[in-house]
Amino acid sequence: MMANLDDRSMRERMLAGDLYVADDPELAERLLRAADLMDAFNATSARDPREQRRLLTELLGAVGEGTVIRPPLRVDYGSHLRIGARSFANFGLVALDVAPITIGDDVQIGTNVQLLTPTHPVDPELRRAKWEAAQPITIGDNVWLGSGAIVLPGVTIGENTVVGAGAVVTRDLPANVVAAGNPARVIRTIEPGTA
């Protein structure tokens, strides 16, 4: 069984969120380019923040002013990851940006957080034939993702929301809540001015 084919390239299919085969020369070259830049960023000394910033700017789709990402960083393409101003990602961010990942301003990301856009078909024949797809992730302004949190494909997290350490976010979370657990559930609303 094969996915419906049309005249689009695999990259065009991927960016549209449709099934595509990742074993494609154009995609392979883009993955290698990202791997080269990612390796260079991860190997750059913390004493050379200008070079780290230069490499991030070349690797990622956008990096806001004052944003810091501590290596190691792992991405698929990099160019589909956009992060706003004054955000901070601690050690070990994995952002598999097959589909767009958009991170707002003033976001705090703990260690070993995973943002995972890829999906795979349930149909075993499509999976065996190496078809896959992806869904975007959006993280609003001033969100805090605790260490080890995992955000799954297609999820949007509203502004000011806190996701507890180790939570697995399988569905959208509204603004101004605290969510925790596996799967992540809203455990309380955040009232302005409260700790």
Side-chain angles (χ1 to χ4, degrees):
M1 180 183 291
M2 294 193 55
N4 293 333
L5 290 176
D6 53 36
D7 61 352
R8 294 178 295 164
S9 71
M10 289 298 161
R11 181 167 188 266
E12 290 169 329
R13 292 180 64 85
M14 179 184 82
L15 293 175
D18 295 332
L19 288 172
Y20 73 98
V21 176
D23 187 15
D24 171 81
E26 179 186 9
L27 293 176
E29 180 55 37
R30 289 175 180 272
L31 286 167
L32 289 172
R33 177 190 179 277
D36 289 343
L37 289 167
M38 183 176 53
D39 289 347
F41 170 75
N42 289 334
T44 300
S45 171
R47 295 180 186 275
D48 194 353
R50 283 187 182 161
E51 180 63 4
Q52 284 183 332
R53 180 68 182 199
R54 184 192 73 74
L55 289 163
L56 278 180
T57 300
E58 190 173 345
L59 173 62
L60 304 184
V63 184
E65 184 177 339
T67 287
V68 173
I69 299 175
R70 286 185 171 172
L73 167 67
R74 298 285 179 227
V75 296
D76 276 324
Y77 296 96
S79 59
H80 306 142
L81 173 58
R82 304 178 70 80
I83 185 166
R86 301 170 307 280
S87 292
F88 175 77
N90 215 326
F91 304 110
L93 174 62
V94 174
L96 300 186
D97 63 325
V98 175
I101 298 174
T102 305
I103 300 170
D105 297 335
D106 303 300
V107 173
Q108 300 292 313
I109 299 175
T111 56
N112 299 313
V113 165
Q114 298 178 51
L115 308 175
L116 310 174
T117 68
T119 64
H120 298 277
V122 174
D123 181 302
E125 293 306 315
L126 288 174
R127 208 169 49 250
R128 185 174 287 115
K130 306 301 183 209
W131 289 96
E132 58 186 75
Q135 297 174 6
I137 292 173
T138 303
I139 298 171
D141 293 343
N142 203 34
V143 166
W144 174 19
L145 300 176
S147 291
I150 299 172
V151 181
L152 295 184
V155 167
T156 295
I157 299 174
E159 66 182 16
N160 303 319
T161 286
V162 175
V163 176
V168 179
V169 185
T170 61
R171 296 184 187 148
D172 292 353
L173 294 174
N176 302 303
V177 298
V178 175
N182 181 3
R185 292 177 184 82
V186 173
I187 57 175
R188 73 178 174 100
T189 300
I190 299 171
E191 299 295 333
T194 61

